[in-house]
Amino acid sequence: MLPAPKTRAPKRKRAPWALLAVIAALVAAASVHHKAHQRQVKVDQYWSTPAKLSAPPLVVLPKTPVVTRLPFPIGENSGVLWNLNNGQLLWAMDPHLREPYASTTKLMTIYLALHQLPLSQVVSISPRAAATPGSDIKMAVGNRFTVKQLLYALMLRSANDSAVALAQADQGHVAKFVAEMNQTAQSLGMQGTTYGDPDGLNPHSAGTAWDLSIIARQDMQNPLFRQIVRTKSTSLPYNPVVTNLNGLLYLDPTVIGVKTGWTGAAGFNLVFAATRQVNGQPVTLLGVIMHGQHGFPPEYQDAEKILNWGFKTVKGAPTTAP
């Protein structure tokens, strides 16, 4: 005898309104995700291109700029502030005073490396690079890094060993690289600058706030440079956590870096830039202050005051010297 066929309960028809509700929820979720993605794209675009640098990359800078007195004291003895959107000099104080660069020397090192070395090139660390004192990422002889990784080490940790490794990768010998640094400085109009090394430990790596603004302006033309110097932390081979030494990045979210420098002879030097919205348009200011004697927290505060004043000036409230 055959078993009785199983009877199935009749299917319950899903109410049309329930199906419509599910579809509406999916559409809403997709819309929210799309809008969030668009916002993130806009943020990434904003930071990767801080401003349209309409001024030409190389500007003939006046030898005797009009000095605008800041309405507050600062602890440095020379400096400049530029509007990179139009090349306007907003402020200068003894801009041609020549002093040691310290690690702001690395602005020329990265300029040459970005122009002449493939980012994917693998560099094997030499005994000289590994033995370079001062700021480093604890390289050992034979360690292997890509050029791009060395650039991050150079700017985030101000790594002197990375500077030497890049110099050797570019020219084979540090002395040849330094000669190229000096030749390039002259070609860019950095008349007050001489370099004695790729890292800034040598006091003969010296120049002026004016000249530092020239090389920093050149570097800022490169999107990868801007990306590197605004990075707060990353990971590198043999260094799982690498944080940026530039405290100004943590003080002001509009800051794009750029580079700190300190030695006993140089005092505290700082090259800084920020992009903010002014009258609905992104504006980028670039500044240099040199030979601070009170340490980096006070110098970061000076830079922040200068930026706030500069953006207020650009917005339409110019301050002139009495």
Side-chain angles (χ1 to χ4, degrees):
M1 182 175 179
L2 295 175
K6 292 182 179 179
T7 59
R8 295 183 181 178
K11 283 188 177 180
R12 297 179 60 187
K13 293 184 178 180
R14 181 172 300 205
W17 61 265
L19 183 59
L20 290 175
V22 171
I23 293 173
L26 291 173
V27 170
S31 176
V32 169
H33 177 77
H34 178 67
K35 289 179 179 178
H37 175 71
Q38 285 183 321
R39 284 195 299 269
Q40 187 59 47
V41 167
K42 288 181 179 179
V43 169
D44 292 342
Q45 289 175 341
Y46 178 80
W47 280 112
S48 62
T49 308
K52 182 180 179 182
L53 307 183
S54 55
L58 182 59
V59 176
V60 179
L61 306 176
K63 290 296 182 182
T64 55
V66 176
V67 176
T68 301
R69 185 176 300 170
L70 295 171
F72 47 81
I74 61 173
E76 296 75 33
N77 62 5
S78 64
V80 293
L81 182 69
W82 292 92
N83 180 345
L84 291 190
N85 287 58
N86 59 14
Q88 179 188 7
L89 177 65
L90 299 174
W91 165 74
M93 177 178 70
D94 291 331
H96 303 297
L97 181 63
R98 180 178 157 84
E99 297 173 307
Y101 277 156
S103 281
T104 58
T105 293
K106 297 181 175 82
L107 292 174
M108 178 60 80
T109 303
I110 193 171
Y111 175 82
L112 292 175
L114 282 170
H115 280 77
Q116 298 175 173
L117 290 172
L119 295 175
S120 60
Q121 177 178 331
V122 176
V123 178
S124 182
I125 300 306
S126 71
R128 176 169 179 176
T132 303
S135 180
D136 58 49
I137 54 169
K138 299 178 174 59
M139 292 179 174
V141 177
N143 283 169
R144 293 164 68 84
F145 295 81
T146 65
V147 166
K148 188 174 182 179
Q149 290 166 342
L150 291 174
L151 295 179
Y152 272 89
L154 183 76
M155 302 308 288
L156 269 65
R157 297 304 296 176
S158 197
N160 297 331
D161 46 11
S162 179
V164 171
L166 288 165
Q168 292 176 324
D170 184 45
Q171 292 293 320
H173 299 280
V174 172
K176 290 183 178 180
F177 186 80
V178 172
E180 187 174 28
M181 293 172 73
N182 284 303
Q183 184 179 20
T184 304
Q186 293 304 304
S187 70
L188 293 176
M190 300 168 63
Q191 300 300 321
T193 293
T194 58
Y195 290 108
D197 59 12
D199 49 54
L201 290 174
N202 190 326
H204 292 295
S205 289
T208 67
W210 193 266
D211 287 359
L212 274 182
S213 73
I214 293 176
I215 186 60
R217 183 190 184 92
Q218 292 290 322
D219 284 328
M220 289 284 288
Q221 300 293 321
N222 189 309
L224 178 58
F225 174 86
R226 298 195 300 266
Q227 176 66 38
I228 290 172
V229 298
R230 76 176 181 89
T231 299
K232 292 180 181 178
S233 66
T234 189
S235 60
L236 295 173
Y238 322 104
N239 297 263
V241 180
V242 177
T243 56
N244 199 318
L245 295 176
N246 188 351
L248 191 57
L249 286 168
Y250 310 95
L251 181 65
D252 182 346
T254 71
V255 166
I256 316 167
V258 175
K259 189 70 190 77
T260 61
W262 177 86
T263 63
F268 296 85
N269 298 333
L270 182 62
V271 182
F272 54 96
T275 296
R276 298 179 190 175
Q277 292 286 326
V278 178
N279 300 323
Q281 297 295 326
V283 173
T284 300
L285 302 187
L286 171 70
V288 179
I289 44 180
M290 293 185 68
H291 207 65
Q293 294 300 307
H294 305 298
F296 274 127
E299 189 155 39
Y300 298 144
Q301 293 162 9
D302 284 347
E304 182 70 2
K305 289 188 292 184
I306 292 169
L307 285 171
N308 290 338
W309 172 87
F311 281 110
K312 181 180 178 182
T313 299
V314 171
K315 192 172 182 179
T319 301
T320 56

